[in-house]
Amino acid sequence: MKLTHTAKGVFAIAVTPFLPDGAVDTASIDRSTDFYQSCGVSGLTILGMMGEAPKLDAAESLAIAGQVVRRASVPIVVGVSAPGFAAMRALARGVMDAGAAGVMIAPPPALRTDDQIVNYFAQAVAAIGPDIPWVLQDYPLVLTVQMTPKVIRQIVTANPSCVMLKHEDWPGLEKISTLRAFQHEGSMRPISILTGNGALFLDFELERGADGAMTGYGFPDMLVDVVNFSQQGNRDTAHDLFDAHLPLIRYEQQQNIGLAVRKYVLQKRGAIAHDTQRIPGGSLTAAARAEIDYLLTRLARHDPRAAALTQSTSAPTAGAGSLDAQHASP
């Protein structure tokens, strides 16, 4: 089924597993796909920035996408951003032929003016074909391309195949509110808004009108719970659970080692066999691993999902300040 503007929930940004020698770990692709689905995600996004897409060749990208699509029972979005439109088209058409639900396109860093941004996405749609639903990635902190709400509205209006915004501006809460106001007043058609930034602002992004998250924190099941609690109106429960994870979410925000932190946690959770990144990539020192283990120990006091990752043999107990009775999947 193709991606539509009604998409909501958590589309986990999946890591790309590698063996210690840097080869693609095909066994862990199935393993991680099963893991994400067991967490209750609504979909998966692969070959994104945190999926180390630039380190893959074209054949590897197509093979990974095909394997995930065959394994998954949820919609798969594939990042197809590329320096040139020929490569973008080849990957986009290839993954859609394999059964992907849609693709994600990010603007190249060279774009500066509003006209350049709008024209680029018109050219991208012409290249991949207007029949492919796509996600507009707005990530100015990394891509250095500033898209105002009016520019996003212009892109959405000019390209009916754009069905989702991956919102990663920072600060960006007002941008979500402005876009939803456009929709409510009728000047922009409805569009799905999923948020990134490692879920750092997810608690309030949902309250501003986001439909969910598209990010890759090591506890996607927690993100699923927070989204569900928020959408059900259980505000305090959503914030309590989110707050318990916030120290680890913050730790993962460190530049250069954020993916290393994420892969280390996912390895400990059994989602992947190795926390290897393809070079060039960040790595964790012994001190950093000890700090993450300490954060997991503290998290286990509030969320039993972290208890199995600690050296402690005692399970967290319910009591004052505990989320044991609150965090279970709604």
Side-chain angles (χ1 to χ4, degrees):
M1 184 177 296
K2 287 188 176 181
L3 192 68
T4 72
H5 72 278
T6 62
K8 62 182 181 179
V10 174
F11 277 59
I13 296 284
V15 298
T16 301
F18 296 105
L19 298 170
D21 64 0
V24 175
D25 183 355
T26 55
S28 282
I29 290 175
D30 286 348
R31 182 174 173 178
S32 62
T33 301
D34 292 347
F35 166 80
Y36 287 120
Q37 292 190 118
S38 73
C39 291
V41 300
S42 303
L44 285 174
T45 302
I46 63 174
L47 306 186
M49 292 181 182
M50 296 299 269
E52 301 179 75
K55 303 174 187 177
L56 301 170
D57 63 34
E60 288 175 324
S61 296
L62 278 173
I64 291 169
Q67 183 176 348
V68 174
V69 168
R70 289 190 299 272
R71 187 76 175 186
S73 58
V74 295
I76 306 299
V77 174
V78 183
V80 297
S81 302
F85 289 129
M88 182 186 295
R89 174 182 172 79
L91 182 56
R93 302 307 302 189
V95 299
M96 293 303 293
D97 288 345
V103 302
M104 182 166 65
I105 305 173
L111 303 181
R112 285 295 175 264
T113 70
D114 291 350
D115 285 345
Q116 288 174 337
I117 297 168
V118 172
N119 289 337
Y120 175 82
F121 285 105
Q123 293 170 342
V125 171
I128 68 173
D131 58 318
I132 296 181
W134 60 282
V135 179
L136 171 62
Q137 185 171 12
D138 180 21
Y139 197 6
L141 273 74
V142 171
L143 300 172
T144 73
V145 177
Q146 298 290 336
M147 288 188 277
T148 67
K150 290 183 178 179
V151 167
I152 292 172
R153 178 174 62 180
Q154 189 174 352
I155 294 169
V156 170
T157 301
N159 301 283
S161 55
C162 179
V163 298
M164 179 186 290
L165 172 69
K166 185 185 180 187
H167 171 277
E168 296 192 271
D169 205 346
W170 181 355
L173 294 175
E174 298 303 331
K175 179 179 279 189
I176 297 174
S177 294
T178 300
L179 291 170
R180 287 307 188 206
F182 288 162
Q183 179 181 324
H184 293 153
E185 72 186 19
S187 66
M188 188 180 81
R189 61 179 169 81
I191 188 172
S192 173
I193 300 178
L194 300 185
T195 60
N197 278 321
L200 191 59
F201 304 102
L202 178 61
D203 49 349
F204 287 109
E205 288 167 339
L206 293 166
E207 296 177 7
R208 291 296 189 106
D211 296 298
M214 183 183 280
T215 192
Y217 175 58
F219 286 83
D221 34 1
M222 181 279 290
L223 303 181
V224 170
D225 287 349
V226 168
V227 170
N228 288 338
F229 284 135
S230 180
Q231 291 175 343
Q232 293 170 359
N234 297 326
R235 187 185 194 191
D236 288 345
T237 304
H239 279 269
D240 287 344
L241 178 56
F242 179 82
D243 289 350
H245 283 259
L246 190 53
L248 184 57
I249 292 174
R250 180 194 65 177
Y251 197 91
E252 194 187 87
Q253 291 293 312
Q254 297 177 87
Q255 291 187 359
N256 300 322
I257 69 164
L259 180 57
V261 175
R262 184 175 299 176
K263 280 194 160 183
Y264 178 64
V265 173
L266 288 172
Q267 181 190 28
K268 289 178 74 72
R269 296 198 72 188
I272 54 179
H274 312 280
D275 62 355
T276 308
Q277 294 179 62
R278 266 196 180 167
I279 56 174
S283 60
L284 299 177
T285 64
R289 291 175 185 267
E291 289 163 351
I292 298 167
D293 290 342
Y294 175 68
L295 289 174
L296 290 170
T297 300
R298 292 181 59 81
L299 177 58
R301 302 176 186 176
H302 307 290
D303 191 335
R305 284 173 286 213
L309 312 184
T310 70
Q311 296 181 350
S312 173
T313 57
S314 59
T317 56
S322 173
L323 301 177
D324 286 11
Q326 302 178 29
H327 87 281
S329 298

